[in-house]
Amino acid sequence: QTVEHGFPHQPSALGYSSFLRLMAIGTRSGAIKLYGAPGVEFMGLHEENNTVMQIHFIPDQCQLVTLLDDNSLHLWSLKQHSGASELQEEHRFTLKGPPGSPPSATQITAVLPHSSRELLYLGTESGNIFVVELPSFRVLEDRTITSEAVLQRVPEDYCNRRLCELVEALREHPKNPDQILIGYSRGLIVLWDLQNNKVTHHFLGSQQLENLYWQRDGSKFVSCHYDGSYTQWPVSSDNRQPEPLENLVPYGPFPCKAISKIYWQTTKNGLPYVIFQGGMPRASYGDRHSISVVHGSQQTAFDFTSRVIDFFIIFSSEPTAEFDDPSAMVVLAEEELVVIDLKTAGWPAVHPPYLASLHCSAITCSHHVSNIPLKLWERIISAGSKQNIHYSNMPWPIDGGSNIAPDPPQRDLLLTGHEDGTVRFWDASGVCLHLLYKLSTVRVFLTDADPNDNMNTLGEDEWPPLRKVGTFDPYSDDPRLGIQKIYLCKYSGYLAVAGTAGQVLVMELNDEDAEHVVDHAEADLLQDQEGYRWKGHEKLKTREGPVRFEAGFQPFVLVQCQPPAVVTSLALHSEWKLVAFGTSHGFGLFDHQQKRLVFVKCTLHPSDQLALEGPLSRVKSLKKSLRQSFRRIRRSRVSSRKRRGGSGNASEVQEANAKFDQDALQEMELAPVQRKIEARSAEDSFTGFVRTLYFADTFLRDSSRHCPSLWAGTNGGTVYAFCLRVPPAERRVDEPVRAEQAKEIQLMHRAPVVGILVLDGRSTPLPEPLEVAHDLSKSPDMQGSHQLLVVSEEQFKVFTLPKVSSKLKLKLTALEGCRVRKVMVANFGSCKTDDYSENDLAVLTNLGDIQIISLPFLKLQIRYPCIRKEDVSGIASCVFTKYGQGFYLISPSEFERFSLSTKWLVEPRCVVDMPEVTSNNDEHKSGVENAVRKS
């Protein structure tokens, strides 16, 4: 396993180091991830798997501290090893109180790493502040700031009214490291002198405190409160009781939500940026997740589609700089990372190079294409750049560290299909999974939503001035739009996508916007069957007349399967201009050049009623079949009692019933590992479900002439082979493609067929369409005899062609106790020499293991544990690449990438240099900043 792509699942904490220019994200499962310049990534995992509550970088160090929800503190360091940096956990520590003290006495609520780099101040629920030495985590008991010591300088009437409890915020004075600001949740704020251990100023707030922020020069600070207000306080050099300069409720006068965090940023033009989270009117906007930016007369409340975890502002960190001059706002929401450019008019979003929200609409399928030709790559990027005109051109602001990994050897695409009918094209060449282009199939169909609706348009006087940001949108206009299968031909630029309601779209790449009519064709897969009635969803309604499409992949033909069941398999042959598709009812072949249906084949068994239920009534059907099974058992018991009741004695009847119960239960309860390998009944549900489709130019009728062919494998262990007559190029437009069934193979064990492959005379898998024409593969050997490999869930079986006689088999389930879930031919190159490579089968089983099996002799080479066997969705989402890598979902928003090949490894390799440290604090800071920039 090499790298995780996507957005961390259930993020819980955010940290940023302006010194290292690195960002850290913690999750509920105890993971911590660091990000810098594209390609600079580090990951650590707390052994406890507890939620990360807070992350704090140690000033001017390659270190950070995490606080978990079990109240433990962990010190992490970036250390260099073999020329690259690694994230390592150095120490862990739990604050303990005196014997008999309640847990609240040491429950940490606020953490302040001091600029001395040697101390950590820990505010607690009890109101006491403990001082801990770094890196040893030794508690300096004589330096503890107790709530009693604080209350000595606070007026008595205030003490009586409000307890000095729960430290909400700790902030170091920006100009004087001997002073810290302490904020208590009940509203009291004090400035504490660390040298003399006393309060120098106290500030009496009347509202529950949420957070504090120092202004750059240290003359003022801002407090924000639970009632949706913020207050600006002066800090004078004398000891006069300070009065607030201003107290504002930005979205009042009605009751507002809490402002949980605030920044006050100074600028050269004199107008500050006031940036705060929350504060919306409770009644009307209480459910919004917002961060407001106010700069003079400009004000925008950025509205996020998921809960805001935390945010930070990137501003000038030069100690000599007079102003903050903020450049970007980085927001970690529960489902995505959003960066706003504060320098450009209109404050546009910045396109992130990593941490992509893969699940902005739920992922329904994936398809990987290796080694994309440069021309196609550039055309896809060009189409994507036209979609990104609303994004800022600002360089990525989190740019710490250096990526020292070698450049990717080739251009790879990962395509993800989504529930909302979109297909996203990701650059999967390197460590950063980056969105290149998004294709939507929605325009072909009539849905409830108008594609021209703009969620962001605001009226001039609308208040609050909300603006939707981010891409996370889990709601689909219609679940039937969901993409189930994708097939891209990288040589011709043809793309086929198929969906939940039996829709198959064939597209081609167009560099310009265009308006045209999408041709329609229907494929009735039940045409020869009587008495069947589809009980599932209806097909999608299509738009009449010309449809406008933006530059990129544009559909030119729609094939609609009837009944409109989920498309379960798809194959495209761009040289022959044919597309094959299969559902739970059968399969069909469509000529997309002549826009004509070539044939359909119904694979439905007469008893296969479940295939007509549709996915929405699947649960009912499962309950019904379970009920029927139990009824059958009961009926059998009753009938056996009746038969034996007259003559046999009671013990005989009991024994017979016990044996029947045992047999029935054994039949029902056998785990996958122990499952008997025996013929399945043809009455098993979904036997006609088409699992795989495959085009091949091979010997099907006799050994002297090869011809194009289409192969289909079903859930009931049947393989169909059709001979195709594709007219030569000069007559291709006029003459029809003809098809004739040539073979039908029924596997004795009736296990679902998950893969079909033809090997040429050299026992090499046949090349992809157009691969030979582009000089990227040798021509297949048509002199020697070809072989057919059929992979079922339980066996691998090699047949000779054209006779289809069994030659070799490997019984995987009988030997290993597992079943095949995914299979693909992978090419393994040697990392020592470019002259050697071999083709093997990469096989994923239901136990989450990956097995490498040799071709053509079917010998097991090696087995790797990869995915937990309980992770059914991870196993279902796995996709192999042509060169022995793979991806699978470890959460709805993250792919884990793995490699089976020593030659093709894509993993982060980066370095974060530690600049030299000088003793003078100001010199140290500025020197460090310069060194970081140089490095």
Side-chain angles (χ1 to χ4, degrees):
Q1 290 171 347
T2 54
V3 66
E4 289 175 7
H5 294 303
F7 185 77
H9 186 50
Q10 296 183 323
S12 55
L14 178 68
Y16 177 68
S17 167
S18 57
F19 167 67
L20 299 173
R21 297 182 76 84
L22 293 179
M23 169 179 68
I25 293 175
T27 71
R28 284 196 223 167
S29 58
I32 178 168
K33 300 184 176 192
L34 269 62
Y35 300 91
V40 176
E41 292 185 17
F42 303 95
M43 183 180 164
L45 188 63
H46 295 89
E47 278 180 24
E48 296 80 359
N49 287 82
N50 286 60
T51 298
V52 180
M53 302 298 289
Q54 295 182 35
I55 301 172
H56 300 273
F57 281 87
I58 310 300
D60 306 342
Q61 294 285 302
C62 287
Q63 290 184 314
L64 63 152
V65 168
T66 55
L67 171 68
L68 305 192
D69 67 351
D70 64 356
N71 209 38
S72 63
L73 286 164
H74 302 253
L75 180 67
W76 297 82
S77 294
L78 284 168
K79 297 209 163 166
Q80 289 202 18
H81 179 72
S82 304
S85 298
E86 292 177 358
L87 183 64
Q88 297 175 357
E89 187 177 357
E90 300 280 312
H91 297 287
R92 65 188 64 191
F93 162 77
T94 303
L95 187 62
K96 291 186 172 63
S101 62
S104 63
T106 54
Q107 184 68 43
I108 299 167
T109 54
V111 178
L112 171 65
H114 193 260
S115 60
S116 65
R117 307 186 292 273
E118 294 165 357
L119 299 174
L120 214 54
Y121 289 85
L122 307 175
T124 61
E125 268 187 22
S126 63
N128 294 333
I129 295 159
F130 296 88
V131 187
V132 173
E133 202 173 45
L134 287 175
S136 63
F137 279 131
R138 184 168 68 90
V139 180
L140 304 176
E141 292 182 10
D142 57 324
R143 296 211 199 169
T144 301
I145 304 168
T146 63
S147 50
E148 290 78 17
V150 170
L151 286 171
Q152 285 172 7
R153 280 295 307 273
V154 177
E156 243 174 74
D157 60 329
Y158 194 85
C159 299
N160 295 339
R161 271 191 308 121
R162 298 175 189 281
L163 291 170
C164 190
E165 63 179 33
L166 206 152
V167 178
E168 199 69 62
L170 292 170
R171 298 283 179 263
E172 184 179 333
H173 194 292
K175 297 296 182 188
N176 183 357
D178 291 333
Q179 291 185 334
I180 61 170
L181 200 59
I182 305 168
Y184 297 93
S185 68
R186 294 287 183 92
L188 172 65
I189 303 161
V190 299
L191 189 60
W192 182 264
D193 185 335
L194 296 172
Q195 287 293 327
N196 302 308
N197 284 336
K198 65 172 191 179
V199 171
T200 61
H201 297 73
H202 62 270
F203 309 86
L204 304 176
S206 60
Q207 287 294 335
Q208 184 177 320
L209 181 73
E210 290 288 319
N211 222 318
L212 297 170
Y213 187 77
W214 275 110
Q215 292 186 25
R216 190 178 187 92
D217 61 1
S219 65
K220 305 181 197 75
F221 70 87
V222 187
S223 61
C224 55
H225 302 273
Y226 182 74
D227 67 340
S229 68
Y230 67 82
T231 307
Q232 196 177 182
W233 303 86
V235 179
S236 57
S237 52
D238 56 31
N239 289 337
R240 279 185 297 110
Q241 168 59 38
E243 290 295 324
L245 293 173
E246 66 170 342
N247 182 48
L248 276 176
V249 183
Y251 295 113
F254 301 109
C256 292
K257 290 187 76 179
I259 293 179
S260 54
K261 189 171 183 177
I262 191 163
Y263 280 82
W264 186 288
Q265 301 274 280
T266 56
T267 62
K268 289 187 185 73
N269 69 5
L271 291 170
Y273 277 85
V274 184
I275 303 166
F276 55 89
Q277 178 183 345
M280 284 280 141
R282 279 185 185 278
S284 310
Y285 300 94
D287 59 341
R288 299 299 180 103
H289 314 289
S290 71
I291 295 178
S292 298
V293 180
V294 184
H295 179 57
S297 59
Q298 281 180 277
Q299 180 163 347
T300 299
F302 292 100
D303 186 13
F304 300 87
T305 52
S306 58
R307 187 169 60 91
V308 173
I309 304 296
D310 201 354
F311 76 103
F312 61 83
I313 305 299
I314 296 176
F315 56 91
S316 171
S317 52
E318 288 281 355
T320 53
E322 195 178 340
F323 303 103
D324 293 308
D325 283 327
S327 56
M329 174 171 75
V330 180
V331 183
L332 176 68
E334 200 163 35
E335 305 291 355
E336 63 187 324
L337 184 84
V338 177
V339 178
I340 303 295
D341 175 0
L342 297 175
K343 288 280 189 197
T344 305
W347 301 330
V350 182
H351 199 46
Y354 47 68
L355 285 171
S357 184
L358 298 175
H359 64 317
C360 37
S361 169
I363 292 176
T364 46
C365 66
S366 306
H367 175 66
H368 187 276
V369 191
S370 298
N371 213 0
I372 302 289
L374 180 61
K375 185 89 180 356
L376 177 64
W377 187 261
E378 287 173 343
R379 291 178 72 192
I380 290 170
I381 288 175
S382 170
S385 64
K386 290 172 185 171
Q387 296 176 334
N388 293 336
I389 52 171
H390 303 300
Y391 282 103
S392 163
N393 294 321
M394 170 191 232
W396 184 242
I398 304 160
D399 55 3
S402 305
N403 178 15
I404 56 171
D407 288 336
Q410 60 184 32
R411 294 170 294 273
D412 287 358
L413 272 181
L414 179 68
L415 281 67
T416 52
H418 297 263
E419 194 177 49
D420 63 354
T422 59
V423 178
R424 285 170 169 81
F425 289 63
W426 304 93
D427 177 358
S429 318
V431 169
C432 295
L433 193 71
H434 181 62
L435 182 66
L436 298 178
Y437 164 68
K438 182 179 96 171
L439 158 73
S440 176
T441 61
V442 179
R443 283 187 177 274
V444 180
F445 305 103
L446 285 168
T447 60
D448 296 336
D450 184 347
N452 299 317
D453 281 353
N454 189 350
M455 301 288 284
N456 289 343
T457 48
L458 285 174
E460 296 235 342
D461 304 319
E462 184 155 335
W463 191 260
L466 287 161
R467 185 175 118 203
K468 275 247 186 278
V469 281
T471 57
F472 179 71
D473 181 12
Y475 307 107
S476 171
D477 296 331
D478 191 326
R480 295 174 297 173
L481 288 166
I483 305 294
Q484 297 295 332
K485 295 289 169 188
I486 306 169
Y487 196 103
L488 171 68
C489 172
K490 63 187 179 185
Y491 303 112
S492 64
Y494 282 117
L495 171 71
V497 298
T500 304
Q503 70 271 31
V504 180
L505 285 162
V506 187
M507 314 187 186
E508 57 187 339
L509 197 50
N510 188 347
D511 298 327
E512 302 297 330
D513 293 9
E515 191 169 3
H516 60 253
V517 174
V518 178
D519 288 294
H520 294 185
E522 286 225 338
D524 181 6
L525 296 168
L526 296 181
Q527 56 182 12
D528 299 328
Q529 306 290 325
E530 293 288 327
Y532 282 111
R533 190 170 62 84
W534 169 246
K535 301 171 193 168
H537 50 240
E538 292 180 3
K539 68 175 184 178
L540 284 157
K541 291 189 175 72
T542 51
R543 290 179 187 273
E544 296 298 323
V547 181
R548 184 152 191 81
F549 297 102
E550 55 186 23
F553 285 94
Q554 298 173 350
F556 61 89
V557 69
L558 163 69
V559 184
Q560 178 62 57
C561 300
Q562 287 290 12
V566 173
V567 177
T568 56
S569 53
L570 184 70
L572 177 75
H573 201 294
S574 44
E575 195 171 353
W576 302 337
K577 306 280 195 302
L578 298 174
V579 62
F581 48 89
T583 72
S584 49
H585 307 122
F587 60 97
L589 181 67
F590 186 81
D591 175 351
H592 66 76
Q593 183 166 10
Q594 292 189 11
K595 295 172 184 168
R596 176 183 157 275
L597 192 64
V598 179
F599 78 90
V600 291
K601 168 76 177 174
C602 181
T603 54
L604 211 58
H605 189 272
S607 66
D608 207 350
Q609 282 298 322
L610 195 56
L612 291 161
E613 296 280 339
L616 304 177
S617 51
R618 188 81 46 80
V619 178
K620 273 191 217 162
S621 307
L622 183 62
K623 286 179 180 171
K624 187 175 159 190
S625 61
L626 282 170
R627 270 201 305 274
Q628 285 170 343
S629 302
F630 282 115
R631 278 179 193 147
R632 273 204 298 274
I633 291 171
R634 239 180 266 126
R635 276 202 300 274
S636 305
R637 283 179 183 170
V638 171
S639 59
S640 63
R641 281 190 193 120
K642 282 179 181 171
R643 279 200 304 275
R644 296 160 192 270
S647 55
N649 58 31
S651 63
E652 274 178 3
V653 174
Q654 266 183 328
E655 199 177 309
N657 283 343
K659 185 176 186 315
F660 180 82
D661 288 355
Q662 194 181 347
D663 290 350
L665 285 169
Q666 191 180 4
E667 216 33 60
M668 288 165 66
E669 290 182 354
L670 277 174
V673 176
Q674 305 159 308
R675 207 177 80 68
K676 291 178 179 175
I677 309 304
E678 57 185 33
R680 304 182 189 198
S681 152
E683 279 76 37
D684 280 357
S685 287
F686 279 120
T687 52
F689 182 124
V690 179
R691 289 287 286 268
T692 184
L693 290 162
Y694 177 71
F695 285 108
D697 188 353
T698 188
F699 300 93
L700 202 50
R701 293 196 177 283
D702 56 57
S703 53
S704 58
R705 283 177 303 166
H706 56 91
C707 67
S709 63
L710 172 66
W711 300 76
T714 73
N715 223 35
T718 308
V719 178
Y720 300 95
F722 280 74
C723 268
L724 306 178
R725 188 187 159 280
V726 182
E730 62 275 11
R731 300 198 302 277
R732 179 67 180 83
V733 181
D734 307 313
E735 290 185 19
V737 174
R738 301 199 183 280
E740 189 182 345
Q741 186 169 333
K743 309 278 182 198
E744 184 175 329
I745 307 162
Q746 178 61 60
L747 301 178
M748 294 300 288
H749 58 292
R750 295 185 185 275
V753 176
V754 292
I756 297 172
L757 184 67
V758 172
L759 306 174
D760 71 5
R762 289 187 293 263
S763 298
T764 303
L766 295 182
E768 290 176 38
L770 296 173
E771 197 173 10
V772 175
H774 284 76
D775 297 326
L776 291 165
S777 173
K778 288 180 185 172
S779 295
D781 184 340
M782 293 298 188
Q783 304 305 314
S785 59
H786 284 198
Q787 298 171 83
L788 170 71
L789 170 65
V790 176
V791 182
S792 77
E793 280 190 359
E794 297 173 1
Q795 292 183 4
F796 297 78
K797 202 161 185 180
V798 176
F799 299 89
T800 59
L801 284 176
K803 285 187 177 176
V804 192
S805 53
S806 179
K807 183 179 178 183
L808 190 68
K809 69 178 163 189
L810 170 64
K811 292 186 174 181
L812 193 74
T813 311
L815 294 172
E816 306 283 335
C818 57
R819 293 203 286 261
V820 177
R821 284 286 175 262
K822 295 279 166 85
V823 62
M824 185 170 171
V825 175
N827 181 270
F828 292 94
S830 166
C831 57
K832 301 239 172 90
T833 171
D834 291 336
D835 299 338
Y836 179 78
S837 72
E838 62 182 62
N839 290 303
D840 296 295
L841 287 176
V843 179
L844 174 70
T845 73
N846 64 321
L847 302 180
D849 291 338
I850 290 178
Q851 306 194 4
I852 307 297
I853 292 169
S854 70
L855 285 174
F857 301 113
L858 304 183
K859 298 287 184 211
L860 178 60
Q861 303 293 301
I862 195 162
R863 182 192 298 108
Y864 300 105
C866 183
I867 310 173
R868 289 179 307 110
K869 65 181 177 186
E870 299 82 15
D871 185 4
V872 178
S873 57
I875 292 170
S877 67
C878 183
V879 55
F880 288 116
T881 80
K882 192 178 175 180
Y883 295 101
Q885 295 185 69
F887 301 80
Y888 68 92
L889 288 170
I890 49 174
S891 76
S893 58
E894 290 170 291
F895 276 112
E896 176 76 64
R897 187 180 191 131
F898 61 87
S899 182
L900 307 163
S901 165
T902 50
K903 185 174 182 179
W904 302 94
L905 274 174
V906 173
E907 57 187 342
R909 186 168 169 78
C910 42
V911 66
V912 176
D913 290 319
M914 177 63 196
E916 287 180 25
V917 176
T918 53
S919 55
N920 180 292
N921 203 36
D922 278 356
E923 279 180 38
H924 158 69
K925 282 190 177 174
S926 56
V928 156
E929 291 291 332
N930 292 332
V932 163
R933 287 204 178 85
K934 283 174 191 164
S935 68

